[in-house]
Amino acid sequence: MKLTPGVRKSVLLLHVVSSVGWLGVTVGNLVLAIAALITDAPGDQHAAYRVMALLGDAVVLPAALAALVSGLLLSVGTQWGLVRYRWVLAKLLLTSIAVVATLFSLRPTLHTARDAVVATGDGVLADVGDTGVSVVAACSVSLAFYVANTALSVFKPWGRTRWA
């Protein structure tokens, strides 16, 4: 199945916008996670975790799914193919891992941190313990995945697979 030029460009636009959005909100979440972890201001901590949980639900997950689906459409609808090039397979693997991790690890961790600050009440620093470090780690790993995917898209390394 080959995509027509107009459809291909539309899917490519969706892929780039959703991928850049996913990358951008991850950078924002990383900054918020670090700020929440090191702050002595309860209001700042509470706001950071509340915003991260909101972004996780409203932006990160939809962007992740849009990037995955549009990437799959581009791979099967263009000359790149899904299994013809190693870099495409690597992007698929990294993106799939990131989507699963977002769904089953990042979002629940963000909700746990948000619930901890809500339970503490305003004016008191919440003891999020290892959850705060987990949020920073998750955002850092996610960022590394997205930068790697961007590099793979630009450099297209490693050539063809044996299934090409």
Side-chain angles (χ1 to χ4, degrees):
M1 159 185 114
K2 290 290 182 196
L3 299 175
T4 63
V7 171
R8 183 189 62 77
K9 287 180 183 179
S10 296
V11 174
L12 180 60
L13 176 64
L14 173 63
H15 186 66
V16 170
V17 168
S18 61
S19 298
V20 168
W22 196 9
L23 174 65
V25 78
T26 299
V27 170
N29 273 346
L30 179 58
V31 170
L32 288 169
I34 292 169
L37 193 63
I38 65 173
T39 189
D40 290 331
D44 292 348
Q45 181 199 45
H46 290 215
Y49 284 126
R50 286 178 175 154
V51 168
M52 284 187 290
L54 178 64
L55 288 173
D57 292 338
V59 181
V60 174
L61 187 58
L65 294 173
L68 178 63
V69 170
S70 60
L72 285 170
L73 287 173
L74 285 170
S75 67
V76 298
T78 65
Q79 78 277 6
W80 298 113
L82 189 57
V83 296
R84 287 186 191 143
Y85 292 89
R86 287 182 177 91
W87 69 271
V88 174
L89 284 172
K91 279 190 67 174
L92 175 61
L93 178 66
L94 289 174
T95 302
S96 298
I97 291 169
V99 168
V100 169
T102 294
L103 189 57
F104 295 109
S105 181
L106 177 64
R107 287 180 60 240
T109 303
L110 292 175
H111 292 169
T112 299
R114 179 204 55 209
D115 294 346
V117 299
V118 168
T120 347
D122 293 334
V124 178
L125 274 173
D127 180 16
V128 293
D130 291 340
T131 302
V133 174
S134 295
V135 172
V136 171
C139 291
S140 299
V141 170
S142 296
L143 182 59
F145 273 39
Y146 311 147
V147 170
N149 270 352
T150 303
L152 288 168
S153 293
V154 170
F155 294 107
K156 298 173 179 49
W158 308 316
R160 293 177 171 243
T161 67
R162 61 181 167 179
W163 305 292

PDB file of all heavy atoms in Angstrom, residues 33-55:
ATOM      1  N   ALA A  33       9.520  18.098  37.179  1.00  0.00           N
ATOM      2  CA  ALA A  33       9.868  17.018  38.112  1.00  0.00           C
ATOM      3  C   ALA A  33      11.078  17.387  38.956  1.00  0.00           C
ATOM      4  O   ALA A  33      11.097  17.138  40.169  1.00  0.00           O
ATOM      5  CB  ALA A  33      10.113  15.722  37.347  1.00  0.00           C
ATOM      6  N   ILE A  34      12.075  17.976  38.330  1.00  0.00           N
ATOM      7  CA  ILE A  34      13.267  18.403  39.076  1.00  0.00           C
ATOM      8  C   ILE A  34      12.901  19.516  40.050  1.00  0.00           C
ATOM      9  O   ILE A  34      13.306  19.498  41.218  1.00  0.00           O
ATOM     10  CB  ILE A  34      14.399  18.825  38.118  1.00  0.00           C
ATOM     11  CG1 ILE A  34      14.920  17.611  37.348  1.00  0.00           C
ATOM     12  CG2 ILE A  34      15.523  19.519  38.876  1.00  0.00           C
ATOM     13  CD1 ILE A  34      15.844  17.944  36.188  1.00  0.00           C
ATOM     14  N   ALA A  35      12.107  20.470  39.573  1.00  0.00           N
ATOM     15  CA  ALA A  35      11.688  21.575  40.448  1.00  0.00           C
ATOM     16  C   ALA A  35      10.894  21.055  41.641  1.00  0.00           C
ATOM     17  O   ALA A  35      11.110  21.487  42.780  1.00  0.00           O
ATOM     18  CB  ALA A  35      10.857  22.586  39.654  1.00  0.00           C
ATOM     19  N   ALA A  36       9.987  20.112  41.402  1.00  0.00           N
ATOM     20  CA  ALA A  36       9.173  19.556  42.492  1.00  0.00           C
ATOM     21  C   ALA A  36      10.024  18.789  43.488  1.00  0.00           C
ATOM     22  O   ALA A  36       9.733  18.785  44.683  1.00  0.00           O
ATOM     23  CB  ALA A  36       8.087  18.649  41.922  1.00  0.00           C
ATOM     24  N   LEU A  37      11.062  18.166  42.988  1.00  0.00           N
ATOM     25  CA  LEU A  37      11.925  17.352  43.848  1.00  0.00           C
ATOM     26  C   LEU A  37      12.810  18.206  44.755  1.00  0.00           C
ATOM     27  O   LEU A  37      13.077  17.831  45.895  1.00  0.00           O
ATOM     28  CB  LEU A  37      12.791  16.435  42.975  1.00  0.00           C
ATOM     29  CG  LEU A  37      13.528  15.302  43.659  1.00  0.00           C
ATOM     30  CD1 LEU A  37      12.539  14.318  44.281  1.00  0.00           C
ATOM     31  CD2 LEU A  37      14.408  14.574  42.646  1.00  0.00           C
ATOM     32  N   ILE A  38      13.243  19.353  44.267  1.00  0.00           N
ATOM     33  CA  ILE A  38      14.223  20.149  45.019  1.00  0.00           C
ATOM     34  C   ILE A  38      13.629  21.365  45.724  1.00  0.00           C
ATOM     35  O   ILE A  38      14.327  22.029  46.480  1.00  0.00           O
ATOM     36  CB  ILE A  38      15.393  20.595  44.124  1.00  0.00           C
ATOM     37  CG1 ILE A  38      14.925  21.549  43.028  1.00  0.00           C
ATOM     38  CG2 ILE A  38      16.116  19.396  43.545  1.00  0.00           C
ATOM     39  CD1 ILE A  38      16.049  22.168  42.208  1.00  0.00           C
ATOM     40  N   THR A  39      12.362  21.651  45.498  1.00  0.00           N
ATOM     41  CA  THR A  39      11.785  22.876  46.060  1.00  0.00           C
ATOM     42  C   THR A  39      11.520  22.753  47.559  1.00  0.00           C
ATOM     43  O   THR A  39      11.312  21.657  48.087  1.00  0.00           O
ATOM     44  CB  THR A  39      10.474  23.250  45.346  1.00  0.00           C
ATOM     45  OG1 THR A  39      10.068  24.547  45.794  1.00  0.00           O
ATOM     46  CG2 THR A  39       9.367  22.244  45.625  1.00  0.00           C
ATOM     47  N   ASP A  40      11.537  23.904  48.214  1.00  0.00           N
ATOM     48  CA  ASP A  40      11.135  23.990  49.613  1.00  0.00           C
ATOM     49  C   ASP A  40       9.781  24.684  49.737  1.00  0.00           C
ATOM     50  O   ASP A  40       9.312  24.941  50.844  1.00  0.00           O
ATOM     51  CB  ASP A  40      12.174  24.784  50.425  1.00  0.00           C
ATOM     52  CG  ASP A  40      13.473  24.017  50.587  1.00  0.00           C
ATOM     53  OD1 ASP A  40      13.431  22.773  50.598  1.00  0.00           O
ATOM     54  OD2 ASP A  40      14.536  24.667  50.700  1.00  0.00           O
ATOM     55  N   ALA A  41       9.171  24.992  48.594  1.00  0.00           N
ATOM     56  CA  ALA A  41       7.890  25.697  48.579  1.00  0.00           C
ATOM     57  C   ALA A  41       6.761  24.703  48.288  1.00  0.00           C
ATOM     58  O   ALA A  41       6.676  24.174  47.179  1.00  0.00           O
ATOM     59  CB  ALA A  41       7.916  26.799  47.525  1.00  0.00           C
ATOM     60  N   PRO A  42       5.901  24.438  49.258  1.00  0.00           N
ATOM     61  CA  PRO A  42       4.821  23.468  49.058  1.00  0.00           C
ATOM     62  C   PRO A  42       3.929  23.805  47.860  1.00  0.00           C
ATOM     63  O   PRO A  42       3.537  22.910  47.106  1.00  0.00           O
ATOM     64  CB  PRO A  42       4.023  23.537  50.356  1.00  0.00           C
ATOM     65  CG  PRO A  42       4.957  24.079  51.368  1.00  0.00           C
ATOM     66  CD  PRO A  42       5.890  24.980  50.621  1.00  0.00           C
ATOM     67  N   GLY A  43       3.634  25.057  47.657  1.00  0.00           N
ATOM     68  CA  GLY A  43       2.775  25.451  46.531  1.00  0.00           C
ATOM     69  C   GLY A  43       3.392  25.100  45.190  1.00  0.00           C
ATOM     70  O   GLY A  43       2.700  24.651  44.273  1.00  0.00           O
ATOM     71  N   ASP A  44       4.702  25.298  45.079  1.00  0.00           N
ATOM     72  CA  ASP A  44       5.399  24.953  43.836  1.00  0.00           C
ATOM     73  C   ASP A  44       5.384  23.445  43.604  1.00  0.00           C
ATOM     74  O   ASP A  44       5.158  22.972  42.494  1.00  0.00           O
ATOM     75  CB  ASP A  44       6.847  25.450  43.864  1.00  0.00           C
ATOM     76  CG  ASP A  44       6.945  26.966  43.822  1.00  0.00           C
ATOM     77  OD1 ASP A  44       5.918  27.637  43.549  1.00  0.00           O
ATOM     78  OD2 ASP A  44       8.051  27.486  44.074  1.00  0.00           O
ATOM     79  N   GLN A  45       5.645  22.690  44.675  1.00  0.00           N
ATOM     80  CA  GLN A  45       5.637  21.234  44.562  1.00  0.00           C
ATOM     81  C   GLN A  45       4.258  20.735  44.159  1.00  0.00           C
ATOM     82  O   GLN A  45       4.120  19.916  43.248  1.00  0.00           O
ATOM     83  CB  GLN A  45       6.052  20.595  45.885  1.00  0.00           C
ATOM     84  CG  GLN A  45       6.084  19.076  45.825  1.00  0.00           C
ATOM     85  CD  GLN A  45       6.040  18.438  47.198  1.00  0.00           C
ATOM     86  OE1 GLN A  45       5.241  18.843  48.044  1.00  0.00           O
ATOM     87  NE2 GLN A  45       6.899  17.452  47.416  1.00  0.00           N
ATOM     88  N   HIS A  46       3.231  21.232  44.811  1.00  0.00           N
ATOM     89  CA  HIS A  46       1.869  20.789  44.524  1.00  0.00           C
ATOM     90  C   HIS A  46       1.488  21.122  43.087  1.00  0.00           C
ATOM     91  O   HIS A  46       0.926  20.280  42.370  1.00  0.00           O
ATOM     92  CB  HIS A  46       0.892  21.433  45.501  1.00  0.00           C
ATOM     93  CG  HIS A  46       1.025  20.924  46.905  1.00  0.00           C
ATOM     94  ND1 HIS A  46      -0.045  20.777  47.736  1.00  0.00           N
ATOM     95  CD2 HIS A  46       2.100  20.518  47.629  1.00  0.00           C
ATOM     96  CE1 HIS A  46       0.349  20.309  48.908  1.00  0.00           C
ATOM     97  NE2 HIS A  46       1.661  20.155  48.861  1.00  0.00           N
ATOM     98  N   ALA A  47       1.800  22.338  42.647  1.00  0.00           N
ATOM     99  CA  ALA A  47       1.459  22.753  41.287  1.00  0.00           C
ATOM    100  C   ALA A  47       2.194  21.897  40.251  1.00  0.00           C
ATOM    101  O   ALA A  47       1.609  21.473  39.249  1.00  0.00           O
ATOM    102  CB  ALA A  47       1.796  24.231  41.089  1.00  0.00           C
ATOM    103  N   ALA A  48       3.464  21.619  40.511  1.00  0.00           N
ATOM    104  CA  ALA A  48       4.259  20.844  39.548  1.00  0.00           C
ATOM    105  C   ALA A  48       3.681  19.448  39.354  1.00  0.00           C
ATOM    106  O   ALA A  48       3.487  18.994  38.227  1.00  0.00           O
ATOM    107  CB  ALA A  48       5.718  20.763  40.017  1.00  0.00           C
ATOM    108  N   TYR A  49       3.379  18.761  40.433  1.00  0.00           N
ATOM    109  CA  TYR A  49       2.857  17.398  40.310  1.00  0.00           C
ATOM    110  C   TYR A  49       1.444  17.380  39.722  1.00  0.00           C
ATOM    111  O   TYR A  49       1.087  16.481  38.962  1.00  0.00           O
ATOM    112  CB  TYR A  49       2.906  16.666  41.650  1.00  0.00           C
ATOM    113  CG  TYR A  49       4.302  16.224  42.017  1.00  0.00           C
ATOM    114  CD1 TYR A  49       4.865  16.576  43.229  1.00  0.00           C
ATOM    115  CD2 TYR A  49       5.065  15.450  41.139  1.00  0.00           C
ATOM    116  CE1 TYR A  49       6.155  16.169  43.574  1.00  0.00           C
ATOM    117  CE2 TYR A  49       6.353  15.051  41.466  1.00  0.00           C
ATOM    118  CZ  TYR A  49       6.890  15.413  42.683  1.00  0.00           C
ATOM    119  OH  TYR A  49       8.168  15.011  43.008  1.00  0.00           O
ATOM    120  N   ARG A  50       0.645  18.381  40.053  1.00  0.00           N
ATOM    121  CA  ARG A  50      -0.697  18.453  39.465  1.00  0.00           C
ATOM    122  C   ARG A  50      -0.624  18.698  37.962  1.00  0.00           C
ATOM    123  O   ARG A  50      -1.353  18.074  37.190  1.00  0.00           O
ATOM    124  CB  ARG A  50      -1.512  19.534  40.153  1.00  0.00           C
ATOM    125  CG  ARG A  50      -1.962  19.146  41.536  1.00  0.00           C
ATOM    126  CD  ARG A  50      -2.731  20.261  42.197  1.00  0.00           C
ATOM    127  NE  ARG A  50      -3.257  19.819  43.476  1.00  0.00           N
ATOM    128  CZ  ARG A  50      -3.517  20.632  44.479  1.00  0.00           C
ATOM    129  NH1 ARG A  50      -3.327  21.924  44.359  1.00  0.00           N
ATOM    130  NH2 ARG A  50      -3.989  20.149  45.614  1.00  0.00           N
ATOM    131  N   VAL A  51       0.246  19.605  37.554  1.00  0.00           N
ATOM    132  CA  VAL A  51       0.393  19.897  36.124  1.00  0.00           C
ATOM    133  C   VAL A  51       0.954  18.687  35.375  1.00  0.00           C
ATOM    134  O   VAL A  51       0.487  18.342  34.283  1.00  0.00           O
ATOM    135  CB  VAL A  51       1.277  21.154  35.911  1.00  0.00           C
ATOM    136  CG1 VAL A  51       1.683  21.305  34.458  1.00  0.00           C
ATOM    137  CG2 VAL A  51       0.540  22.400  36.383  1.00  0.00           C
ATOM    138  N   MET A  52       1.946  18.016  35.955  1.00  0.00           N
ATOM    139  CA  MET A  52       2.516  16.828  35.284  1.00  0.00           C
ATOM    140  C   MET A  52       1.474  15.735  35.094  1.00  0.00           C
ATOM    141  O   MET A  52       1.425  15.093  34.042  1.00  0.00           O
ATOM    142  CB  MET A  52       3.722  16.297  36.067  1.00  0.00           C
ATOM    143  CG  MET A  52       4.967  17.127  35.886  1.00  0.00           C
ATOM    144  SD  MET A  52       6.422  16.373  36.644  1.00  0.00           S
ATOM    145  CE  MET A  52       6.043  16.558  38.375  1.00  0.00           C
ATOM    146  N   ALA A  53       0.623  15.517  36.087  1.00  0.00           N
ATOM    147  CA  ALA A  53      -0.424  14.497  35.956  1.00  0.00           C
ATOM    148  C   ALA A  53      -1.413  14.897  34.864  1.00  0.00           C
ATOM    149  O   ALA A  53      -1.830  14.055  34.056  1.00  0.00           O
ATOM    150  CB  ALA A  53      -1.139  14.294  37.287  1.00  0.00           C
ATOM    151  N   LEU A  54      -1.760  16.172  34.820  1.00  0.00           N
ATOM    152  CA  LEU A  54      -2.670  16.660  33.782  1.00  0.00           C
ATOM    153  C   LEU A  54      -2.052  16.511  32.393  1.00  0.00           C
ATOM    154  O   LEU A  54      -2.693  16.016  31.456  1.00  0.00           O
ATOM    155  CB  LEU A  54      -3.029  18.127  34.054  1.00  0.00           C
ATOM    156  CG  LEU A  54      -3.935  18.793  33.032  1.00  0.00           C
ATOM    157  CD1 LEU A  54      -5.299  18.117  33.004  1.00  0.00           C
ATOM    158  CD2 LEU A  54      -4.084  20.278  33.360  1.00  0.00           C
ATOM    159  N   LEU A  55      -0.800  16.906  32.253  1.00  0.00           N
ATOM    160  CA  LEU A  55      -0.116  16.769  30.963  1.00  0.00           C
ATOM    161  C   LEU A  55       0.034  15.306  30.557  1.00  0.00           C
ATOM    162  O   LEU A  55      -0.070  14.971  29.373  1.00  0.00           O
ATOM    163  CB  LEU A  55       1.263  17.430  31.019  1.00  0.00           C
ATOM    164  CG  LEU A  55       1.281  18.957  31.038  1.00  0.00           C
ATOM    165  CD1 LEU A  55       2.701  19.462  31.255  1.00  0.00           C
ATOM    166  CD2 LEU A  55       0.685  19.533  29.772  1.00  0.00           C
TER     167      LEU A  55
END
